């Protein structure tokens, strides 16, 4: 009850910010971002668009990858109307396609730009079951697996940029507190909804699975970057409850009523983008990595969300899913159910 009250009134936490803080407010005291190049996925609308607008206002060069190029160009035009000197590059990317992710990274690398900041923000909530061209359930493919490969392929560039510029790189993964709604065996459930057309598809559980995967991915990447002694951090955020285009497939009276009843708990889009912008830019978070943030403050994760064994197991399965040599993704993935992380081998 006390935590809910703090949220409703917007009480500031240890960071000095709270649920009512906006993206502009949390970046007021950040260093000048003119030397920063940032990639932001899902920046055509909602939280991503506000994140891009505010970072551009603070001087960052933006790369906006999008499946809908017109939407990305419109987002760019809106930012330029407010900040005419903003440096913004629009590029094509369909996160549900591993081939598209590879092509995007190849094209980005050809620009010979540095990369200081990667914000994995794009998300999808599909009501009906759908399978990606790579054989993966579509919500998981878009929200998690595409970002897994994107991050994996861009890490070298980020590490090199941090080394040559002496500026610490940051990766921000946008998750959701809904990840707590998932329980059970992650890989087995993913296999089930990706292979079995007759399974009882639950869109909310599939979405929760993808967001749990993001939390675990953050934990595992942080550990690997530490082992590499790379000057790059990675953290994940819960933006809060906000009505964006993510709910467009659920538009209707039931959705309208639900949002009306919970209206006191909803954030505005500027408020929802605050935690992302805080984690991406605030100077007090230098060397802070592998953490989960909500309302611009570090928060604890669930037992499953902090399980290092599950994080390693998910990483192994993800590596299999993105491997070029796999003709049938879920033939080798089934083996991941029997992967022994303690011995680093299959049982």
């Amino acid at each position: 009850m006390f935590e809910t009250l703090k949220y409703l009134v917007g009480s500031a936490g240890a960071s000095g910010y709270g649920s009512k803080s906006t993206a502009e407010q949390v970046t007021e005291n950040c260093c000048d971002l003119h030397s920063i190049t940032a990639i932001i996925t899902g920046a055509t609308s909602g939280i991503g668009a506000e994140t891009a607008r505010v970072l551009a206002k603070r001087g960052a060069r933006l790369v906006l990858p999008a499946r809908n190029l017109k939407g990305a160009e419109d987002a760019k035009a809106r930012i330029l109307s407010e900040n005419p000197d903003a440096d913004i590059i629009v590029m094509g990317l369909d996160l549900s396609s591993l081939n598209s992710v590879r092509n995007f990274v190849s094209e980005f690398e050809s620009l010979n730009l540095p990369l200081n900041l990667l914000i994995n923000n794009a998300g999808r909530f599909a009501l009906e079951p759908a399978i990606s061209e790579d054989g993966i359930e579509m919500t998981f493919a878009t929200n998690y697996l595409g970002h897994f490969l994107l991050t994996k392929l861009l890490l070298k560039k980020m590490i090199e940029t941090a080394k040559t510029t002496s500026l610490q790189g940051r990766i921000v993964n946008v998750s959701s507190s809904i990840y707590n709604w998932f329980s059970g065996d992650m890989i087995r459930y993913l296999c089930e909804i990706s292979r079995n057309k007759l399974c009882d598809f639950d869109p909310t559980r599939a979405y929760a699975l993808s967001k749990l995967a993001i939390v675990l991915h953050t934990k595992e990447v942080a550990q690997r970057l530490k082992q590499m002694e790379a000057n790059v951090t990675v953290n994940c955020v819960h933006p809060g409850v906000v009505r964006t285009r993510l709910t467009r497939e659920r538009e209707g009276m039931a959705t309208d009523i639900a949002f009306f009843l919970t209206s006191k708990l909803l954030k505005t889009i500027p408020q929802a983008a605050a935690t992302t912008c805080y984690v991406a830019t605030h100077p007090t978070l230098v060397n802070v990595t592998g953490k989960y943030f909500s309302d611009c403050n570090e928060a604890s994760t669930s037992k499953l969300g902090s399980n290092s064994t599950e994080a390693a197991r998910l990483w192994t399965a993800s590596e299999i899913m993105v491997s070029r040599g796999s003709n049938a993704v879920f033939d080798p993935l089934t083996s991941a159910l029997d992967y022994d992380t303690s011995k680093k081998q299959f049982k």
Side-chain angles (χ1 to χ4, degrees):
M1 177 66 74
F2 179 65
E3 290 300 319
T4 301
L5 182 61
K6 284 175 60 179
Y7 173 86
L8 289 173
V9 300
S11 296
S15 68
Y17 304 107
S19 62
K20 301 300 183 183
S21 300
T22 67
E24 288 202 19
Q25 289 171 343
V26 302
T27 57
E28 283 177 351
N29 297 319
C30 74
C31 57
D32 178 63
L33 300 182
H34 280 88
S35 59
I36 299 299
T37 297
I39 293 177
I40 309 173
T41 68
T44 58
S45 64
I47 297 170
E50 176 66 3
T51 299
R53 184 190 73 82
V54 172
L55 293 186
K57 182 175 183 177
R58 305 305 180 201
R61 174 198 287 131
L62 305 182
V63 177
L64 307 183
R67 183 178 59 176
N68 180 352
L69 290 178
K70 183 182 183 303
E73 290 290 352
D74 289 345
K76 175 180 177 178
R78 289 193 297 271
I79 295 172
L80 289 174
S81 68
E82 181 181 345
N83 300 284
D85 296 329
D87 187 353
I88 305 172
I89 301 169
V90 169
M91 299 174 65
L93 171 63
D94 180 353
L95 282 163
S96 72
S97 164
L98 298 178
N99 188 56
S100 178
V101 173
R102 293 188 181 97
N103 289 340
F104 166 78
V105 172
S106 178
E107 184 180 351
F108 173 76
E109 289 178 339
S110 71
L111 300 176
N112 293 316
L113 293 174
L115 181 58
N116 311 91
L117 176 60
L118 172 61
I119 300 179
N120 293 318
N121 166 83
R124 176 188 180 122
F125 191 121
L127 275 180
E128 300 298 328
I131 306 299
S132 75
E133 64 183 44
D134 302 291
I136 312 295
E137 188 278 318
M138 190 63 80
T139 299
F140 189 89
T142 304
N143 295 358
Y144 167 72
L145 193 62
H147 283 127
F148 170 87
L149 181 59
L150 182 67
T151 303
K152 174 183 170 70
L153 296 179
L154 290 173
L155 270 182
K156 181 180 178 182
K157 171 64 73 174
M158 294 197 73
I159 293 170
E160 289 175 349
T161 299
K163 184 176 294 186
T164 58
T165 64
S166 297
L167 295 174
Q168 190 168 76
R170 296 191 185 187
I171 302 169
V172 183
N173 294 327
V174 179
S175 182
S176 168
S177 63
I178 202 174
Y179 85 85
N180 280 298
W181 293 20
F182 184 86
S183 61
D185 189 311
M186 297 176 61
I187 308 302
R188 192 176 297 279
Y189 181 64
L190 177 61
C191 288
E192 180 181 323
I193 60 178
S194 295
R195 297 179 66 180
N196 185 2
K197 296 180 180 179
L198 299 178
C199 77
D200 186 14
F201 179 75
D202 182 339
T204 302
R205 192 176 186 213
Y207 185 73
L209 169 65
S210 71
K211 293 302 182 179
L212 172 60
I214 291 169
V215 173
L216 291 173
H217 176 243
T218 301
K219 181 180 182 67
E220 185 68 14
V221 174
Q223 182 63 30
R224 289 170 180 263
L225 287 170
K226 284 181 180 179
Q227 292 173 353
M228 298 167 62
E229 297 184 348
N231 191 24
V232 177
T233 64
V234 54
N235 294 288
C236 66
V237 305
H238 165 55
V241 183
V242 59
R243 190 168 190 176
T244 68
R245 291 187 61 212
L246 188 64
T247 60
R248 59 187 175 274
E249 294 187 36
R250 285 197 164 188
E251 291 300 321
M253 183 176 293
T255 301
D256 291 339
I257 292 174
F259 276 108
F260 174 76
L261 293 175
T262 60
S263 59
K264 294 298 182 182
L265 298 176
L266 294 181
K267 287 186 176 185
T268 65
I269 287 178
Q271 291 169 348
T275 305
T276 299
C277 289
Y278 171 74
V279 174
T281 67
H282 208 276
T284 61
L285 297 184
V286 172
N287 296 327
V288 174
T289 191
K291 305 300 183 181
Y292 177 84
F293 288 82
S294 178
D295 299 330
C296 300
N297 286 275
E298 186 179 332
S300 59
T301 53
S302 67
K303 183 177 180 180
L304 181 55
S306 58
N307 189 315
S308 58
T309 299
E310 281 301 300
R313 183 167 174 256
L314 174 65
W315 183 281
T316 299
S318 302
E319 289 277 22
I320 294 172
M321 285 185 276
V322 302
S323 64
R324 288 178 177 272
S326 176
N327 294 321
V329 169
F330 277 98
D331 286 342
L333 180 56
T334 304
S335 300
L337 293 168
D338 300 317
Y339 189 74
D340 188 336
T341 54
S342 63
K343 297 180 180 179
K344 304 297 183 182
Q345 64 184 25
F346 292 101
K347 298 174 184 177

